[in-house]
Every structure is written in structure tokens, then in C-alpha cells.
């Protein structure tokens, strides 16, 4: 978004995430909120937002914002339910099935889960992704890349494994490969 203080492969998907917020939503949980950029955008939509992250140091540097409360917490153990749950580049930091189960639990009946994630790419399994590399490189060059310094972890689960786990644990979820080594997952919890 144009007024963002920085751009990266994760913030590139903020507009998609914001489009998934239903008009009836009142509460949101942003998992792995980092510096709170997405949490603040959700709050500007009139939502009461809780942002959680395991990194206390990053949270300590996050500016206060109206409608946003931040907590140091692990979503695997977090309690509550929310109309909208977002997780950006977070799910690959935990065991896949355990993470999806926790995400499912946090979504209120009738609520929405929107995930932007990473998968473990392999040449054999993802060869069709190779022609996209020039477009990804051009996108990188056209933006001012940056963001908070946060813990990084390479994904271990392959796309097919993520798709299979989502189909089993989140019936009806839509999952798509995207540019910049990301996938999106959208699930509406039955009311």
C-alpha cells in the first residue's frame, strides 16, 4: 500500500488480506504481528484488533495505535475467538497440523481465517514456478524492500502437504500458490 513505511514479500499481500474482512466483522487477531503494520490496517477498518507475537523485542518497538492491543504470546496456546484471524509468514514456524488446528480454534463461528504462508519449494515439485522468477525479481526492484528484523525460518512443509492438511482440517478452504514464494489460504468457519 502506498503509505506503508516499507514493502516486502509479506506486505505485498496486505491488500488481499484486507479484502477478506467481512463487513460484519468486529474483532481480529493478527498472529505473528511483528511491528503491527497489518494490525493497524485492520484497526483502521473499525475492528478491535489483538496482535500477538512471540518476539518481545519486536513488540516493544511497535508504536501504539488506536484499536490495537499487542501481547507477547504463542498462538498455539492462545485463548479466544475472533471474527477475523490473520497469519502472515507464521504458520511455517510451527508443526503444520498443530498450527492449522490452533488457527481453526481461534476463528469464531462464521468468522474468516486468512493466511499468507511459505512452503518448501523443490525443483522437482515446483518446476512450473521457475518462469515466474523474472516477474518476482522485477517486483522486488520496483519497491523499497524492508521491514522489521524478525526471526526467520525456512519452511519445511511442501505445498502438497499444506494443501492436504488444510483440506482435512479446514474443509472448504481455498489455497493458491502466489508470487514471491507465498501461498494464500482462505477459510470461512461455519456459523
Amino acid at each position: 500500500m502506498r503509505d506503508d513505511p516499507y514493502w516486502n514479500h509479506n506486505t505485498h499481500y496486505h491488500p488481499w488480506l484486507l479484502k477478506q474482512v467481512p463487513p460484519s466483522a468486529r474483532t481480529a487477531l493478527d498472529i505473528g504481528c511483528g511491528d503491527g503494520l497489518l494490525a493497524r490496517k485492520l484497526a483502521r477498518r473499525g475492528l478491535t484488533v489483538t496482535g500477538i507475537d512471540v518476539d518481545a523485542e519486536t513488540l516493544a518497538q511497535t508504536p501504539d495505535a488506536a484499536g490495537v492491543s499487542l501481547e507477547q504470546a504463542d498462538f498455539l496456546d492462545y485463548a479466544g475467538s475472533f471474527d477475523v484471524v490473520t497469519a502472515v509468514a507464521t504458520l511455517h514456524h510451527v508443526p503444520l497440523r498443530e498450527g492449522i488446528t490452533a488457527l481453526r480454534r481461534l476463528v469464531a463461528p462464521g468468522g474468516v481465517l486468512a493466511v499468507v504462508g511459505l512452503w518448501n519449494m523443490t525443483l522437482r515439485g515446483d518446476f512450473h514456478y521457475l518462469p515466474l522468477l523474472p516477474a518476482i525479481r522485477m517486483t522486488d526492484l520496483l519497491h523499497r524492500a524492508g521491514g522489521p528484523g524478525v526471526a526467520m525460518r525456512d519452511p519445511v512443509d511442501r505445498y502438497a502437504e499444506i494443501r492436504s492438511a488444510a483440506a482435512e482440517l479446514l474443509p472448504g478452504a481455498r489455497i493458491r500458490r502466489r508470487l514471491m514464494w507465498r501461498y494464500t489460504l482462505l477459510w470461512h468457519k461455519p456459523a
Side-chain angles (χ1 to χ4, degrees):
M1 302 179 93
R2 291 190 180 173
D3 59 346
D4 285 353
Y6 57 86
W7 177 92
N8 60 40
H9 291 184
N10 296 325
T11 63
H12 178 80
Y13 291 99
H14 283 185
W16 178 84
L17 290 159
L18 293 170
K19 284 180 187 173
Q20 308 317 312
V21 176
S24 61
R26 298 292 171 252
T27 60
L29 176 66
D30 183 26
I31 297 169
C33 66
D35 67 354
L37 183 60
L38 179 59
R40 291 189 299 276
K41 291 176 184 180
L42 289 164
R44 284 194 295 253
R45 293 253 169 137
L47 300 170
T48 300
V49 182
T50 302
I52 63 172
D53 203 300
V54 295
D55 187 347
E57 194 173 306
T58 299
L59 288 173
Q61 299 171 23
T62 302
D64 290 333
V68 178
S69 63
L70 301 174
E71 297 177 38
Q72 181 184 5
D74 185 335
F75 79 97
L76 295 176
D77 305 318
Y78 202 72
S81 65
F82 301 83
D83 299 326
V84 176
V85 175
T86 59
V88 179
T90 302
L91 188 55
H92 70 281
H93 287 266
V94 300
L96 178 62
R97 298 178 78 70
E98 188 179 347
I100 291 175
T101 300
L103 292 173
R104 179 182 67 202
R105 175 180 44 76
L106 291 164
V107 180
V112 171
L113 169 64
V115 174
V116 175
L118 292 79
W119 77 92
N120 181 3
M121 291 186 69
T122 63
L123 188 56
R124 191 151 121 198
D126 300 295
F127 66 90
H128 56 280
Y129 203 78
L130 293 176
L132 299 175
L133 294 180
I136 294 168
R137 181 67 180 136
M138 286 303 299
T139 302
D140 286 347
L141 291 172
L142 292 172
H143 294 86
R144 56 185 192 276
V150 295
M152 304 281 247
R153 180 177 185 232
D154 289 331
V156 295
D157 300 300
R158 295 206 166 86
Y159 184 75
E161 296 167 326
I162 297 165
R163 239 186 131 76
S164 175
E168 179 186 334
L169 299 169
L170 303 170
R174 291 184 309 195
I175 184 169
R176 289 186 52 200
R177 291 179 212 246
R178 302 288 186 146
L179 283 178
M180 280 143 324
W181 301 279
R182 300 295 185 268
Y183 67 85
T184 56
L185 182 152
L186 179 64
W187 179 64
H188 296 267
K189 188 171 190 171

mmCIF file of all heavy atoms in Angstrom, residues 114-147:
data_model
loop_
_atom_site.group_PDB
_atom_site.id
_atom_site.type_symbol
_atom_site.label_atom_id
_atom_site.label_comp_id
_atom_site.label_asym_id
_atom_site.label_seq_id
_atom_site.Cartn_x
_atom_site.Cartn_y
_atom_site.Cartn_z
ATOM 1 N N ALA A 114 -7.509 -16.015 7.248
ATOM 2 C CA ALA A 114 -6.755 -15.628 6.054
ATOM 3 C C ALA A 114 -5.266 -15.770 6.361
ATOM 4 O O ALA A 114 -4.749 -15.107 7.257
ATOM 5 C CB ALA A 114 -7.090 -14.199 5.644
ATOM 6 N N VAL A 115 -4.606 -16.645 5.614
ATOM 7 C CA VAL A 115 -3.192 -16.958 5.841
ATOM 8 C C VAL A 115 -2.398 -16.628 4.585
ATOM 9 O O VAL A 115 -2.824 -16.935 3.470
ATOM 10 C CB VAL A 115 -3.017 -18.457 6.168
ATOM 11 C CG1 VAL A 115 -1.542 -18.841 6.268
ATOM 12 C CG2 VAL A 115 -3.751 -18.825 7.446
ATOM 13 N N VAL A 116 -1.242 -16.015 4.804
ATOM 14 C CA VAL A 116 -0.235 -15.893 3.757
ATOM 15 C C VAL A 116 0.951 -16.688 4.278
ATOM 16 O O VAL A 116 1.492 -16.374 5.337
ATOM 17 C CB VAL A 116 0.153 -14.425 3.485
ATOM 18 C CG1 VAL A 116 1.285 -14.346 2.478
ATOM 19 C CG2 VAL A 116 -1.054 -13.626 3.011
ATOM 20 N N GLY A 117 1.309 -17.737 3.558
ATOM 21 C CA GLY A 117 2.354 -18.624 4.059
ATOM 22 C C GLY A 117 3.428 -18.934 3.038
ATOM 23 O O GLY A 117 3.351 -18.518 1.881
ATOM 24 N N LEU A 118 4.409 -19.667 3.508
ATOM 25 C CA LEU A 118 5.525 -20.119 2.679
ATOM 26 C C LEU A 118 5.535 -21.633 2.660
ATOM 27 O O LEU A 118 5.135 -22.263 3.634
ATOM 28 C CB LEU A 118 6.855 -19.639 3.262
ATOM 29 C CG LEU A 118 7.169 -18.158 3.239
ATOM 30 C CD1 LEU A 118 6.449 -17.428 4.346
ATOM 31 C CD2 LEU A 118 8.659 -17.960 3.389
ATOM 32 N N TRP A 119 6.022 -22.193 1.581
ATOM 33 C CA TRP A 119 6.185 -23.635 1.517
ATOM 34 C C TRP A 119 7.616 -23.954 1.112
ATOM 35 O O TRP A 119 8.329 -23.111 0.599
ATOM 36 C CB TRP A 119 5.174 -24.259 0.572
ATOM 37 C CG TRP A 119 5.446 -24.122 -0.892
ATOM 38 C CD1 TRP A 119 6.133 -25.002 -1.688
ATOM 39 C CD2 TRP A 119 5.038 -23.056 -1.758
ATOM 40 N NE1 TRP A 119 6.171 -24.551 -2.982
ATOM 41 C CE2 TRP A 119 5.496 -23.363 -3.055
ATOM 42 C CE3 TRP A 119 4.319 -21.883 -1.563
ATOM 43 C CZ2 TRP A 119 5.278 -22.532 -4.149
ATOM 44 C CZ3 TRP A 119 4.104 -21.059 -2.648
ATOM 45 C CH2 TRP A 119 4.572 -21.379 -3.909
ATOM 46 N N ASN A 120 8.025 -25.178 1.350
ATOM 47 C CA ASN A 120 9.366 -25.645 0.997
ATOM 48 C C ASN A 120 9.368 -25.990 -0.483
ATOM 49 O O ASN A 120 8.822 -27.008 -0.894
ATOM 50 C CB ASN A 120 9.732 -26.859 1.846
ATOM 51 C CG ASN A 120 11.119 -27.381 1.535
ATOM 52 O OD1 ASN A 120 11.844 -26.817 0.736
ATOM 53 N ND2 ASN A 120 11.478 -28.465 2.176
ATOM 54 N N MET A 121 9.959 -25.130 -1.259
ATOM 55 C CA MET A 121 9.997 -25.342 -2.703
ATOM 56 C C MET A 121 11.113 -26.317 -3.067
ATOM 57 O O MET A 121 12.193 -26.269 -2.500
ATOM 58 C CB MET A 121 10.223 -24.018 -3.424
ATOM 59 C CG MET A 121 9.053 -23.090 -3.314
ATOM 60 S SD MET A 121 9.270 -21.609 -4.302
ATOM 61 C CE MET A 121 9.175 -22.292 -5.946
ATOM 62 N N THR A 122 10.809 -27.169 -4.030
ATOM 63 C CA THR A 122 11.823 -28.073 -4.587
ATOM 64 C C THR A 122 11.761 -27.949 -6.098
ATOM 65 O O THR A 122 10.697 -27.682 -6.669
ATOM 66 C CB THR A 122 11.558 -29.540 -4.190
ATOM 67 O OG1 THR A 122 10.309 -29.946 -4.748
ATOM 68 C CG2 THR A 122 11.545 -29.707 -2.679
ATOM 69 N N LEU A 123 12.881 -28.133 -6.738
ATOM 70 C CA LEU A 123 12.927 -28.018 -8.188
ATOM 71 C C LEU A 123 11.980 -29.030 -8.829
ATOM 72 O O LEU A 123 11.232 -28.702 -9.746
ATOM 73 C CB LEU A 123 14.361 -28.232 -8.678
ATOM 74 C CG LEU A 123 14.599 -27.967 -10.149
ATOM 75 C CD1 LEU A 123 14.167 -26.561 -10.531
ATOM 76 C CD2 LEU A 123 16.058 -28.173 -10.496
ATOM 77 N N ARG A 124 11.976 -30.232 -8.320
ATOM 78 C CA ARG A 124 11.139 -31.281 -8.901
ATOM 79 C C ARG A 124 9.639 -31.002 -8.678
ATOM 80 O O ARG A 124 8.830 -31.174 -9.570
ATOM 81 C CB ARG A 124 11.510 -32.623 -8.289
ATOM 82 C CG ARG A 124 10.889 -33.776 -9.017
ATOM 83 C CD ARG A 124 11.754 -34.969 -8.877
ATOM 84 N NE ARG A 124 11.019 -36.056 -8.241
ATOM 85 C CZ ARG A 124 11.573 -37.084 -7.696
ATOM 86 N NH1 ARG A 124 12.875 -37.161 -7.627
ATOM 87 N NH2 ARG A 124 10.858 -38.036 -7.187
ATOM 88 N N GLY A 125 9.292 -30.575 -7.486
ATOM 89 C CA GLY A 125 7.885 -30.361 -7.173
ATOM 90 C C GLY A 125 7.328 -29.028 -7.635
ATOM 91 O O GLY A 125 6.110 -28.880 -7.767
ATOM 92 N N ASP A 126 8.198 -28.053 -7.877
ATOM 93 C CA ASP A 126 7.737 -26.696 -8.184
ATOM 94 C C ASP A 126 8.375 -26.120 -9.445
ATOM 95 O O ASP A 126 8.502 -24.906 -9.579
ATOM 96 C CB ASP A 126 8.037 -25.781 -6.991
ATOM 97 C CG ASP A 126 7.351 -26.246 -5.725
ATOM 98 O OD1 ASP A 126 6.108 -26.233 -5.696
ATOM 99 O OD2 ASP A 126 8.054 -26.640 -4.778
ATOM 100 N N PHE A 127 8.761 -26.990 -10.386
ATOM 101 C CA PHE A 127 9.435 -26.543 -11.605
ATOM 102 C C PHE A 127 8.604 -25.534 -12.386
ATOM 103 O O PHE A 127 9.139 -24.632 -13.021
ATOM 104 C CB PHE A 127 9.788 -27.729 -12.505
ATOM 105 C CG PHE A 127 8.592 -28.443 -13.062
ATOM 106 C CD1 PHE A 127 8.056 -28.057 -14.275
ATOM 107 C CD2 PHE A 127 8.002 -29.479 -12.363
ATOM 108 C CE1 PHE A 127 6.931 -28.702 -14.782
ATOM 109 C CE2 PHE A 127 6.883 -30.122 -12.861
ATOM 110 C CZ PHE A 127 6.353 -29.729 -14.077
ATOM 111 N N HIS A 128 7.281 -25.665 -12.336
ATOM 112 C CA HIS A 128 6.403 -24.744 -13.063
ATOM 113 C C HIS A 128 6.444 -23.325 -12.494
ATOM 114 O O HIS A 128 5.971 -22.384 -13.118
ATOM 115 C CB HIS A 128 4.960 -25.275 -13.061
ATOM 116 C CG HIS A 128 4.439 -25.514 -11.685
ATOM 117 N ND1 HIS A 128 4.757 -26.634 -10.962
ATOM 118 C CD2 HIS A 128 3.675 -24.746 -10.890
ATOM 119 C CE1 HIS A 128 4.176 -26.553 -9.776
ATOM 120 N NE2 HIS A 128 3.522 -25.417 -9.711
ATOM 121 N N TYR A 129 7.030 -23.149 -11.316
ATOM 122 C CA TYR A 129 7.156 -21.835 -10.684
ATOM 123 C C TYR A 129 8.338 -21.048 -11.276
ATOM 124 O O TYR A 129 8.381 -19.832 -11.189
ATOM 125 C CB TYR A 129 7.353 -22.040 -9.183
ATOM 126 C CG TYR A 129 6.980 -20.871 -8.305
ATOM 127 C CD1 TYR A 129 5.650 -20.590 -7.999
ATOM 128 C CD2 TYR A 129 7.954 -20.036 -7.770
ATOM 129 C CE1 TYR A 129 5.311 -19.529 -7.186
ATOM 130 C CE2 TYR A 129 7.614 -18.972 -6.951
ATOM 131 C CZ TYR A 129 6.291 -18.727 -6.661
ATOM 132 O OH TYR A 129 5.949 -17.669 -5.858
ATOM 133 N N LEU A 130 9.299 -21.736 -11.874
ATOM 134 C CA LEU A 130 10.522 -21.104 -12.380
ATOM 135 C C LEU A 130 10.274 -19.967 -13.373
ATOM 136 O O LEU A 130 10.961 -18.944 -13.301
ATOM 137 C CB LEU A 130 11.455 -22.159 -12.978
ATOM 138 C CG LEU A 130 12.048 -23.160 -11.982
ATOM 139 C CD1 LEU A 130 12.866 -24.214 -12.711
ATOM 140 C CD2 LEU A 130 12.886 -22.445 -10.935
ATOM 141 N N PRO A 131 9.315 -20.092 -14.297
ATOM 142 C CA PRO A 131 9.097 -18.968 -15.222
ATOM 143 C C PRO A 131 8.659 -17.669 -14.531
ATOM 144 O O PRO A 131 8.740 -16.599 -15.117
ATOM 145 C CB PRO A 131 7.983 -19.481 -16.147
ATOM 146 C CG PRO A 131 8.080 -20.965 -16.079
ATOM 147 C CD PRO A 131 8.537 -21.264 -14.676
ATOM 148 N N LEU A 132 8.203 -17.759 -13.288
ATOM 149 C CA LEU A 132 7.764 -16.568 -12.563
ATOM 150 C C LEU A 132 8.932 -15.786 -11.943
ATOM 151 O O LEU A 132 8.740 -14.651 -11.496
ATOM 152 C CB LEU A 132 6.790 -16.964 -11.454
ATOM 153 C CG LEU A 132 5.508 -17.638 -11.913
ATOM 154 C CD1 LEU A 132 4.692 -18.097 -10.713
ATOM 155 C CD2 LEU A 132 4.703 -16.713 -12.796
ATOM 156 N N LEU A 133 10.106 -16.382 -11.899
ATOM 157 C CA LEU A 133 11.238 -15.727 -11.243
ATOM 158 C C LEU A 133 11.550 -14.339 -11.807
ATOM 159 O O LEU A 133 11.803 -13.414 -11.024
ATOM 160 C CB LEU A 133 12.465 -16.634 -11.271
ATOM 161 C CG LEU A 133 12.335 -17.915 -10.449
ATOM 162 C CD1 LEU A 133 13.611 -18.742 -10.550
ATOM 163 C CD2 LEU A 133 11.996 -17.630 -9.004
ATOM 164 N N PRO A 134 11.536 -14.118 -13.129
ATOM 165 C CA PRO A 134 11.776 -12.746 -13.618
ATOM 166 C C PRO A 134 10.731 -11.741 -13.117
ATOM 167 O O PRO A 134 11.076 -10.610 -12.762
ATOM 168 C CB PRO A 134 11.717 -12.897 -15.144
ATOM 169 C CG PRO A 134 12.055 -14.331 -15.391
ATOM 170 C CD PRO A 134 11.474 -15.081 -14.222
ATOM 171 N N ALA A 135 9.465 -12.141 -13.053
ATOM 172 C CA ALA A 135 8.420 -11.232 -12.559
ATOM 173 C C ALA A 135 8.643 -10.908 -11.080
ATOM 174 O O ALA A 135 8.447 -9.765 -10.648
ATOM 175 C CB ALA A 135 7.040 -11.853 -12.760
ATOM 176 N N ILE A 136 9.052 -11.899 -10.317
ATOM 177 C CA ILE A 136 9.335 -11.673 -8.890
ATOM 178 C C ILE A 136 10.501 -10.710 -8.738
ATOM 179 O O ILE A 136 10.452 -9.770 -7.934
ATOM 180 C CB ILE A 136 9.618 -13.008 -8.176
ATOM 181 C CG1 ILE A 136 8.359 -13.881 -8.170
ATOM 182 C CG2 ILE A 136 10.127 -12.770 -6.759
ATOM 183 C CD1 ILE A 136 8.605 -15.311 -7.747
ATOM 184 N N ARG A 137 11.539 -10.915 -9.521
ATOM 185 C CA ARG A 137 12.718 -10.041 -9.445
ATOM 186 C C ARG A 137 12.353 -8.601 -9.817
ATOM 187 O O ARG A 137 12.782 -7.652 -9.161
ATOM 188 C CB ARG A 137 13.822 -10.572 -10.365
ATOM 189 C CG ARG A 137 15.082 -9.763 -10.341
ATOM 190 C CD ARG A 137 15.778 -9.848 -9.001
ATOM 191 N NE ARG A 137 16.980 -9.051 -9.032
ATOM 192 C CZ ARG A 137 17.365 -8.245 -8.059
ATOM 193 N NH1 ARG A 137 16.677 -8.181 -6.935
ATOM 194 N NH2 ARG A 137 18.455 -7.530 -8.170
ATOM 195 N N MET A 138 11.554 -8.429 -10.867
ATOM 196 C CA MET A 138 11.140 -7.078 -11.259
ATOM 197 C C MET A 138 10.300 -6.420 -10.168
ATOM 198 O O MET A 138 10.468 -5.233 -9.888
ATOM 199 C CB MET A 138 10.335 -7.132 -12.570
ATOM 200 C CG MET A 138 11.190 -7.380 -13.792
ATOM 201 S SD MET A 138 12.506 -6.160 -14.014
ATOM 202 C CE MET A 138 11.575 -4.666 -14.202
ATOM 203 N N THR A 139 9.420 -7.171 -9.554
ATOM 204 C CA THR A 139 8.602 -6.634 -8.467
ATOM 205 C C THR A 139 9.492 -6.174 -7.324
ATOM 206 O O THR A 139 9.286 -5.101 -6.759
ATOM 207 C CB THR A 139 7.591 -7.692 -7.975
ATOM 208 O OG1 THR A 139 6.787 -8.089 -9.078
ATOM 209 C CG2 THR A 139 6.704 -7.137 -6.878
ATOM 210 N N ASP A 140 10.491 -6.973 -6.999
ATOM 211 C CA ASP A 140 11.431 -6.595 -5.945
ATOM 212 C C ASP A 140 12.151 -5.290 -6.277
ATOM 213 O O ASP A 140 12.328 -4.429 -5.415
ATOM 214 C CB ASP A 140 12.474 -7.693 -5.723
ATOM 215 C CG ASP A 140 11.929 -8.897 -4.994
ATOM 216 O OD1 ASP A 140 10.821 -8.821 -4.423
ATOM 217 O OD2 ASP A 140 12.619 -9.934 -4.984
ATOM 218 N N LEU A 141 12.563 -5.147 -7.521
ATOM 219 C CA LEU A 141 13.315 -3.956 -7.929
ATOM 220 C C LEU A 141 12.460 -2.685 -7.925
ATOM 221 O O LEU A 141 12.977 -1.586 -7.741
ATOM 222 C CB LEU A 141 13.918 -4.166 -9.318
ATOM 223 C CG LEU A 141 15.039 -5.204 -9.402
ATOM 224 C CD1 LEU A 141 15.421 -5.460 -10.855
ATOM 225 C CD2 LEU A 141 16.252 -4.765 -8.593
ATOM 226 N N LEU A 142 11.151 -2.836 -8.116
ATOM 227 C CA LEU A 142 10.269 -1.677 -8.195
ATOM 228 C C LEU A 142 9.828 -1.146 -6.830
ATOM 229 O O LEU A 142 9.189 -0.114 -6.753
ATOM 230 C CB LEU A 142 9.025 -2.027 -9.018
ATOM 231 C CG LEU A 142 9.284 -2.260 -10.502
ATOM 232 C CD1 LEU A 142 8.028 -2.797 -11.179
ATOM 233 C CD2 LEU A 142 9.773 -0.992 -11.179
ATOM 234 N N HIS A 143 10.145 -1.847 -5.772
ATOM 235 C CA HIS A 143 9.701 -1.452 -4.434
ATOM 236 C C HIS A 143 10.884 -1.214 -3.513
ATOM 237 O O HIS A 143 11.971 -1.724 -3.735
ATOM 238 C CB HIS A 143 8.809 -2.542 -3.827
ATOM 239 C CG HIS A 143 7.531 -2.719 -4.559
ATOM 240 N ND1 HIS A 143 7.402 -3.534 -5.648
ATOM 241 C CD2 HIS A 143 6.311 -2.158 -4.356
ATOM 242 C CE1 HIS A 143 6.164 -3.488 -6.098
ATOM 243 N NE2 HIS A 143 5.476 -2.666 -5.336
ATOM 244 N N ARG A 144 10.605 -0.458 -2.445
ATOM 245 C CA ARG A 144 11.640 -0.250 -1.432
ATOM 246 C C ARG A 144 11.468 -1.346 -0.373
ATOM 247 O O ARG A 144 10.629 -1.245 0.509
ATOM 248 C CB ARG A 144 11.556 1.139 -0.833
ATOM 249 C CG ARG A 144 10.230 1.497 -0.226
ATOM 250 C CD ARG A 144 10.213 2.943 0.238
ATOM 251 N NE ARG A 144 9.063 3.216 1.059
ATOM 252 C CZ ARG A 144 7.860 3.532 0.586
ATOM 253 N NH1 ARG A 144 7.665 3.620 -0.699
ATOM 254 N NH2 ARG A 144 6.871 3.771 1.419
ATOM 255 N N ALA A 145 12.230 -2.380 -0.512
ATOM 256 C CA ALA A 145 12.107 -3.535 0.385
ATOM 257 C C ALA A 145 12.602 -3.161 1.780
ATOM 258 O O ALA A 145 13.504 -2.355 1.948
ATOM 259 C CB ALA A 145 12.891 -4.713 -0.153
ATOM 260 N N GLY A 146 11.987 -3.777 2.781
ATOM 261 C CA GLY A 146 12.393 -3.534 4.154
ATOM 262 C C GLY A 146 11.440 -4.199 5.104
ATOM 263 O O GLY A 146 10.677 -5.073 4.725
ATOM 264 N N GLY A 147 11.515 -3.758 6.333
ATOM 265 C CA GLY A 147 10.624 -4.300 7.343
ATOM 266 C C GLY A 147 11.370 -4.526 8.641
ATOM 267 O O GLY A 147 12.574 -4.330 8.730
#
